[in-house]
């Protein structure tokens, strides 16, 4: 007799894809210092307080199917995410010239790459939510109420871990000598910036 097994969460992962959007905000200036100053004035506010160069945000909704079981338990049999990731990046309002155009392209490419890592962390979170969710079963829950509280508890832990991972990444990237720090220095001090 042959027994075949499969991992339902793996199949579910293949069924969805994140929608990724990029929004820009206008900055002004023709030198690196002017552009960076404009970013400081107009960049997205993170946490409603601190301006950032760029920001990655997301909207995540789920379609979940809970099924009562014959043994009085409730099982989450499917969970399909809808994930929209939005990257907010600066964009000069006027074309840049010569070396400054090249310096800007190096800067914004590095910033975009940084934000894409945040996007990957968000996708990893959604995959972890799927793995934790699909197949979750709670005993003595014929009306499928207890399972929702248990799921909320577990997902809260995953969310906290994802936010910490993102903060740790930013701490390294923004530290003295870190990638973003270097991109800023090169933009402000690079050829064509004065």
């Amino acid at each position: 007799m042959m027994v075949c097994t499969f991992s339902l969460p793996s199949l579910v992962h293949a069924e969805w894809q994140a929608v990724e959007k990029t929004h820009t905000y206008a900055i002004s200036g023709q030198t690196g210092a002017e552009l960076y100053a404009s970013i400081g004035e107009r960049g997205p506010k993170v946490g409603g307080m601190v301006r950032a160069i760029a920001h990655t945000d997301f909207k995540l909704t789920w379609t979940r199917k809970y099924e009562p079981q014959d043994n009085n338990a409730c099982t989450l049999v499917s969970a399909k995410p809808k994930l929209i990731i939005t990257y907010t990046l600066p964009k000069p309002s006027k074309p840049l010239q010569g070396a400054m155009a090249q310096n800007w392209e190096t800067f914004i490419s590095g910033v975009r790459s940084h934000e894409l890592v945040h996007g990957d962390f968000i996708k990893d979170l959604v995959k972890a939510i799927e793995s934790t969710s699909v197949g979750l079963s709670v005993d003595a829950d014929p009306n499928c109420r207890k399972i929702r509280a248990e799921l909320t508890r577990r997902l809260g832990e995953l969310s906290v871990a994802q936010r910490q991972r993102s903060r740790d990444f930013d701490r390294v990237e923004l530290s003295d000598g870190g990638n973003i720090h270097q991109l800023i220095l090169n933009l402000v001090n690079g050829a064509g910036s004065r």
Side-chain angles (χ1 to χ4, degrees):
M1 176 174 165
M2 181 194 265
V3 176
C4 295
T5 62
F6 65 93
S7 171
L8 183 59
S10 296
L11 294 175
V12 175
H13 289 201
E15 293 177 12
W16 67 271
Q17 241 181 350
V19 173
E20 296 180 82
K21 301 177 179 182
T22 300
H23 291 280
T24 59
Y25 64 94
I27 58 169
S28 60
Q30 289 294 307
T31 68
E34 290 170 347
L35 292 167
Y36 189 65
S38 186
I39 288 170
E41 294 168 0
R42 300 180 184 173
K45 285 188 177 180
V46 179
M49 298 168 52
V50 179
R51 294 224 182 252
I53 296 169
H55 182 63
T56 299
D57 199 7
F58 69 99
K59 180 179 179 183
L60 175 60
T61 56
W62 291 90
T63 302
R64 294 185 175 111
K65 184 176 181 185
Y66 298 91
E67 286 187 359
Q69 305 296 308
D70 291 338
N71 63 356
N72 231 14
C74 180
T75 301
L76 179 57
V77 295
S78 70
K80 185 172 182 180
K82 180 179 178 184
L83 174 62
I84 301 170
I85 301 173
T86 303
Y87 305 103
T88 301
L89 300 170
K91 182 177 181 180
S93 55
K94 294 183 180 174
L96 301 173
Q97 305 300 316
M100 191 63 246
Q102 188 174 12
N103 287 355
W104 175 259
E105 190 51 42
T106 299
F107 173 78
I108 198 62
S109 292
V111 169
R112 185 179 300 111
S113 294
H114 172 91
E115 294 306 317
L116 290 174
V117 171
H118 285 295
D120 287 342
F121 290 170
I122 293 164
K123 292 175 206 173
D124 289 347
L125 170 65
V126 174
K127 291 173 187 173
I129 290 171
E130 279 185 303
S131 296
T132 298
S133 301
V134 177
L136 176 65
S137 190
V138 173
D139 292 332
D141 190 17
N143 296 319
C144 294
R145 290 191 183 122
K146 293 178 188 175
I147 194 170
R148 295 169 200 268
E150 176 60 19
L151 184 61
T152 298
R153 184 190 66 76
R154 290 180 184 206
L155 300 188
E157 293 170 1
L158 292 173
S159 181
V160 167
Q162 183 271 333
R163 285 194 301 271
Q164 186 60 52
R165 183 181 184 198
S166 192
R167 281 193 298 269
D168 291 345
F169 174 66
D170 279 344
R171 188 175 304 114
V172 170
E173 289 272 294
L174 296 167
S175 66
D176 284 349
N179 184 48
I180 297 296
H181 184 242
Q182 290 300 316
L183 288 168
I184 293 167
L185 291 176
N186 291 335
L187 175 69
V188 172
N189 301 321
S193 292
R194 294 173 186 84

